[in-house]
Amino acid sequence: MDLGEGLRQAIAKLSRATIIDAKTVKEFTKELQKSLLSADVEVSLVFQISKEIEAESLKSRPPSGITSKDYITDIVYKKLVGLMGSTYTPEMKSKRVLLMGLYGSGKTTTAVKIAKYYQDRGMSAAVICCDVTRPAAYEQLETLAAQANITFFGIKGEKDPVKVLKASRQPLKGKNVVICDTSGRNALDDNLIAELKAVAREFGADEKILVVGADTGQTPGSQAREFDSAVKISGGVGTGMDGSVKGGGAISAANAAKAHVMFIGTGEKIGNIEPFDSEKFIGSLLGIPDMSSLLDKVSKAVAEAKIKPEDMQTEELNFETFYTQLKAMGHMGPLKNVFGMMGASDVPKEMLDQGEDRLNKFKVIISSMTQSERKDERLLHNPDRIKRIAVGSGTSEHDVHMLISQFNKMKKMFNTFKNDRGFRKRFAKFGA
Ligand code: GDP
Ligand code: MG
């Protein structure tokens, strides 16, 4: 089961519940906990979040006209946005940005990425190497900066970052955005604390950003707390967000430092950086991707396939309507989670993977059926008929059986929809 699936099912369950009682909410928060934990959100924070969501969900009834599902999803969403901050929009104005973080968190790469981000938008940008610890830190930043056409400043071999900063004033005069890369450690120690304090004082940062790798495991919270108490943090950047569905580290860090996530790194290339979009991030964390654009696409797919809401609740699905339905399912292939989001359980994968070839085959098979067979599937519980249809359509008996098995699966799915009034209502909106 993927990360979002359990949660989607829990949300589906919620939408079927007529009242929100303690038991329903408990079940839901349990799924939410699992989801957050597997995304590497810190254990203590997971419990804090779920306790607050539980309390809030039970505190008052959903306002009339709002489903339990929408009500609770909204509470969860607001809670997580509260922790991570809303979508970040970088201001195009002069600023000095100090980057901090442990070894390998992605500071040096991020320094150049951010500089390039601003430079591409018309600001002049420069990076300064104040990592005086790691051998070759100077060369790494110099090379990356040259690749991105960003001005670089550093003093090779200099062990005092304050001297580097003092010397950088004159040559970098007039630069709009100046970014300072600093030393890392395996863990924050007194030595680095003293160094960062001195750097922050001399540099005069407008933004002090902690860079946290997505694969940091369960420690980003304590990391962020330590950095924050040493040098007050004003924001976070999560790197390596391309590699996994994890990213809970960014939530934990942001929460611990009471700071917001500003950018995320989505790959090793210099262009792989995005301002943090909380809606998108939390959506994918919860397994509910961009809802509004998805729903748009569904409306389109449904319209194209000419499915009517009546068809979705048809008393008897028969082979005549089956083909249209199947074709519609094919259109929804990339949107396979949509039923889950709308509160029904997920549609079986095979139903959505309708290749053009298979659809065509099904079409000829259906055209080889008699009128009465098309209307009544039970007539096909007869090997002779199956054989006749296979020969008549130039397919195999196996193909005919496959069609029948898909037909039965769809019938079962439709029965579920039929019995779920809430789903039907939501679906009807698309068919309109
Ligand atoms: P520093 O020690 O904190 O300065 O970290 P570096 O900037 O040297 O980065 C460490 C490694 O992580 C390098 O191999 C980078 O290419 C890689 N890295 C940095 N940011 C990202 C990212 O957003 N995605 C991926 N996949 N790799 C990244
Ligand atoms: Mg570095």
Side-chain angles (χ1 to χ4, degrees):
M1 195 178 276
D2 72 50
L3 178 61
E5 203 172 322
L7 200 65
R8 280 201 303 279
Q9 282 175 6
I11 293 178
K13 226 185 251 171
L14 269 183
S15 68
R16 284 195 286 273
T18 43
I19 48 158
I20 307 180
D21 57 11
K23 188 167 158 266
T24 332
V25 171
K26 193 135 233 142
E27 261 176 52
F28 173 76
T29 37
K30 234 163 71 198
E31 278 307 324
L32 181 68
Q33 282 174 353
K34 260 198 258 171
S35 200
L36 294 174
L37 283 172
S38 54
D40 272 354
V41 180
E42 282 192 320
V43 180
S44 58
L45 183 58
V46 169
F47 283 102
Q48 184 205 320
I49 294 174
S50 47
K51 224 164 64 199
E52 286 171 15
I53 287 173
E54 202 174 324
E56 204 162 321
S57 308
L58 291 170
K59 199 171 65 191
S60 54
R61 297 176 148 272
S64 70
I66 303 226
T67 62
S68 326
K69 184 193 107 190
D70 290 345
Y71 181 64
I72 295 183
T73 311
D74 188 57
I75 293 177
V76 173
Y77 182 73
K78 285 198 181 125
K79 179 105 265 160
L80 294 177
V81 170
L83 291 177
M84 304 199 67
S86 47
T87 295
Y88 175 66
T89 316
E91 272 185 282
M92 293 303 139
K93 60 172 202 191
S94 293
K95 59 184 88 181
R96 297 173 70 79
V97 181
L98 183 66
L99 293 184
M100 296 167 289
L102 298 182
Y103 273 147
S105 59
K107 288 179 300 301
T108 304
T109 319
T110 303
V112 178
K113 281 179 174 180
I114 294 182
K116 179 88 167 59
Y117 181 89
Y118 285 108
Q119 187 159 291
D120 284 349
R121 284 156 186 79
M123 314 281 284
S124 60
V127 291
I128 306 177
C129 175
C130 279
D131 179 349
V132 293
T133 320
R134 177 179 257 182
Y138 177 100
E139 286 81 0
Q140 189 197 356
L141 187 59
E142 185 183 36
T143 310
L144 283 173
Q147 277 169 18
N149 205 15
I150 302 285
T151 303
F152 164 84
F153 185 85
I155 303 174
K156 204 169 174 171
E158 176 57 64
K159 289 290 168 206
D160 181 358
V162 173
K163 281 196 182 143
V164 177
L165 288 170
K166 282 191 173 15
S168 74
R169 292 277 173 190
Q170 187 52 36
L172 298 187
K173 216 170 176 174
K175 291 285 174 196
N176 301 136
V177 177
V178 180
I179 299 180
C180 179
D181 185 21
T182 59
S183 303
R185 288 290 189 279
N186 286 320
L188 190 59
D189 58 29
D190 292 346
N191 218 321
L192 183 59
I193 291 178
E195 183 178 318
L196 289 175
K197 279 185 171 160
V199 166
R201 207 176 309 122
E202 177 60 36
F203 183 61
D206 301 298
E207 289 171 8
K208 287 179 270 181
I209 298 181
L210 180 67
V211 181
V212 181
D215 55 0
T216 322
Q218 292 282 345
T219 61
S222 49
Q223 254 183 56
R225 264 183 293 273
E226 287 172 17
F227 273 96
D228 190 46
S229 64
V231 187
K232 188 103 196 77
I233 291 170
S234 59
V237 170
T239 62
M241 305 293 255
D242 43 313
S244 65
V245 288
K246 306 199 175 208
I251 297 187
S252 308
N255 174 63
K258 308 251 171 308
H260 288 168
V261 180
M262 301 169 118
F263 286 98
I264 57 171
T266 55
E268 292 193 17
K269 296 209 182 70
I270 290 164
N272 297 147
I273 187 162
E274 298 169 9
F276 175 67
D277 177 340
S278 50
E279 194 165 333
K280 191 166 142 198
F281 179 80
I282 294 165
S284 68
L285 184 75
L286 298 181
I288 309 171
D290 183 8
M291 285 289 282
S292 54
S293 80
L294 198 62
L295 293 183
D296 274 356
K297 283 188 209 155
V298 179
S299 308
K300 250 195 221 127
V302 170
E304 264 171 33
K306 298 198 172 49
I307 325 183
K308 296 186 205 71
E310 304 90 88
D311 295 335
M312 291 303 281
Q313 36 181 302
T314 179
E315 282 301 318
E316 354 154 37
L317 175 75
N318 61 46
F319 284 108
E320 274 172 353
T321 46
F322 175 60
Y323 179 75
T324 331
Q325 301 288 336
L326 209 55
K327 218 166 143 191
M329 291 289 165
H331 280 289
M332 289 187 200
L335 311 170
K336 63 182 155 76
N337 296 335
V338 83
F339 284 94
M341 283 178 224
M342 285 163 69
S345 34
D346 287 345
V347 175
K349 276 199 183 64
E350 58 192 283
M351 200 97 89
L352 300 164
D353 290 334
Q354 302 296 349
E356 209 50 42
D357 288 353
R358 188 137 79 133
L359 271 176
N360 285 334
K361 205 180 248 179
F362 282 176
K363 198 173 174 179
V364 273
I365 295 176
I366 293 170
S367 66
S368 294
M369 293 177 183
T370 66
Q371 285 295 339
S372 42
E373 282 165 352
R374 279 182 222 173
K375 293 225 160 73
D376 187 356
E377 184 264 343
R378 282 167 306 180
L379 292 175
L380 296 183
H381 299 184
N382 174 338
D384 292 337
R385 285 183 189 257
I386 301 230
K387 200 179 246 164
R388 197 206 75 239
I389 294 168
V391 172
S393 59
T395 61
S396 67
E397 289 172 39
H398 174 74
D399 290 331
V400 181
H401 280 296
M402 209 158 75
L403 171 92
I404 297 173
S405 124
Q406 288 235 358
F407 175 84
N408 286 324
K409 272 193 196 136
M410 188 181 280
K411 189 155 191 161
K412 208 164 129 199
M413 198 171 85
F414 274 32
N415 284 336
T416 324
F417 294 165
K418 215 165 63 188
N419 297 328
D420 181 347
R421 278 215 266 125
F423 176 81
R424 248 170 39 210
K425 253 202 205 141
R426 285 188 294 283
F427 194 85
K429 280 195 206 138
F430 295 124

